[in-house]
Amino acid sequence: MIETLIGMFIVFMIIGAIIALETTDLLSAVISIGAIGVAVSICFLLVGAPDIASTQLVVEVLTIIILIKATIRHDLVTIEGDREFFGLTVTIALLFILFVYGVKAFSSLPKFGAPAISEFQGAASNRYLYSGFEETGSKNILTSIIFDYRGIDAFAQLCVLFAGIWGAFAIMRVQSRKRKKKG
Amino acid sequence: MLYTLCFLLFLIGMYGVTCKKNIVKMILGFLIMEYSVNLFLILLGWRKQGIAPVIEDSIGPDMLITKSVDPLPQEMVLISITIGLGILCLMVAIAIRLYQKYGTFDITEMNKLKH
């Protein structure tokens, strides 16, 4: 039941992705991306990840705002057509080969509905689930993982986020900062 | 089956990154790849009739260990989504600067060092 539902959502996302990449109007492409993001958020809600779903929804709104800011004033010339024919053909052939071998690789993964933590009792997630409330006092196990068990990991990743936004500011700055004259 | 569909979505995003001329379309392809990878990681942790990893009055830790979905991919994806926003800011900033320099989003016309 839930598998069919998620499958339908992913098909919807594939259609949205093709529309986003093939339409000539940049604004409709950005709105299609928004539709894909909302579908991803609903999928997260269906598979038992409500925290991720709310985060995804908030980030999606910000993404659309940033992309519209980037495109709305510059949408002067619509660029049509792909790159030259030979390169396009080679790329699509390579993507197809990647698809065939990737589908083969999926047979070695645990099946949908039977994750690795149900087979291996000593997995780290089992310990987090069992003693997370006792050791950290948080009723939401996700919070205890992010802020306690893997806190340094999360801190380092947020440093990457800070570096990215810092780089964006450095690139967007028009005038360089002038030094104050002495005396 | 669901994994295959996710992979198809990933490959569509990769097609956008590699084959499109417009730099905004390349950014959109990158976003599609990001979405598909996040969804794939979350789907890997799904258990049949699974519940969210939250302790409630009727659900204790010993019940959680048999019923809950895997919380570790969720933690990774939560931070990955946030970082994706920072990366998007950086990409859009570079795209806007390139537009100001060359007057177009078309990457095939950005082949000159001087302008």
Side-chain angles (χ1 to χ4, degrees):
Chain A
M1 174 60 197
I2 201 163
E3 197 171 352
T4 323
L5 206 55
I6 293 173
M8 280 166 56
F9 272 113
I10 298 179
V11 169
F12 171 75
M13 281 154 60
I14 288 173
I15 295 170
I18 292 171
I19 291 174
L21 289 178
E22 292 301 328
T23 181
T24 52
D25 185 14
L26 283 182
L27 201 57
S28 1
V30 170
I31 291 169
S32 305
I33 284 291
I36 298 172
V38 173
V40 171
S41 173
I42 295 172
C43 285
F44 287 159
L45 207 56
L46 286 175
V47 295
D51 312 273
I52 319 287
S54 53
T55 312
Q56 171 71 42
L57 212 55
V58 172
V59 166
E60 189 56 47
V61 173
L62 289 174
T63 301
I64 292 180
I65 290 171
I66 292 170
L67 279 172
I68 286 179
K69 169 81 177 164
T71 55
I72 192 121
R73 290 193 182 166
H74 310 296
D75 191 10
L76 305 174
V77 188
T78 54
I79 302 161
E80 290 182 3
D82 294 318
R83 298 203 204 174
E84 69 268 25
F85 180 74
F86 179 72
L88 189 69
T89 317
V90 171
T91 314
I92 289 177
L94 282 176
L95 287 179
F96 182 73
I97 294 170
L98 198 62
F99 179 71
V100 171
Y101 281 95
V103 169
K104 274 189 183 177
F106 283 140
S107 61
S108 66
L109 287 175
K111 282 182 184 173
F112 180 70
I117 58 165
S118 63
E119 293 176 15
F120 304 107
Q121 291 303 317
S125 302
N126 280 331
R127 196 197 143 188
Y128 299 157
L129 284 174
Y130 187 69
S131 54
F133 178 58
E134 204 179 312
E135 288 178 354
T136 64
S138 164
K139 282 197 169 180
N140 192 344
I141 305 298
L142 206 59
T143 314
S144 71
I145 293 177
I146 289 178
F147 287 106
D148 202 306
Y149 290 115
R150 305 210 163 204
I152 295 177
D153 192 9
F155 171 70
Q157 283 168 328
L158 290 177
C159 285
V160 176
L161 172 68
F162 179 69
I165 293 175
W166 199 16
F169 270 114
I171 289 169
M172 286 303 289
R173 194 172 63 198
V174 178
Q175 289 179 336
S176 62
R177 199 180 295 157
K178 289 174 185 171
R179 285 186 182 176
K180 288 181 183 174
K181 289 177 183 175
K182 288 177 184 176
Chain B
M1 186 62 197
L2 287 181
Y3 297 160
T4 313
L5 283 175
C6 271
F7 192 53
L8 197 61
L9 193 62
F10 180 83
L11 287 182
I12 289 172
M14 194 178 263
Y15 162 75
V17 172
T18 49
C19 295
K20 284 293 164 187
K21 270 180 168 181
N22 194 333
I23 208 163
V24 177
K25 290 284 176 67
M26 295 169 81
I27 294 176
L28 297 187
F30 191 87
L31 282 177
I32 292 168
M33 285 163 72
E34 189 187 312
Y35 289 149
S36 70
V37 170
N38 286 344
L39 185 61
F40 174 67
L41 284 174
I42 291 286
L43 288 182
L44 268 181
W46 163 250
R47 194 199 295 259
K48 261 183 192 169
Q49 312 291 330
I51 53 174
V54 179
I55 292 177
E56 295 171 15
D57 294 337
S58 58
I59 303 165
D62 43 349
M63 198 170 169
L64 213 58
I65 202 169
T66 55
K67 276 197 169 181
S68 168
V69 298
D70 195 350
L72 207 51
Q74 294 193 10
E75 186 262 346
M76 278 168 57
V77 167
L78 187 63
I79 298 177
S80 151
I81 288 172
T82 322
I83 289 179
L85 190 65
I87 303 289
L88 177 78
C89 282
L90 191 59
M91 286 192 299
V92 166
I94 292 172
I96 290 175
R97 289 305 266 186
L98 284 174
Y99 185 87
Q100 286 171 356
K101 190 166 171 57
Y102 291 100
T104 176
F105 275 134
D106 192 343
I107 57 160
T108 53
E109 293 183 11
M110 295 178 190
N111 49 8
K112 300 170 214 157
L113 285 175
K114 289 182 189 174
H115 191 71

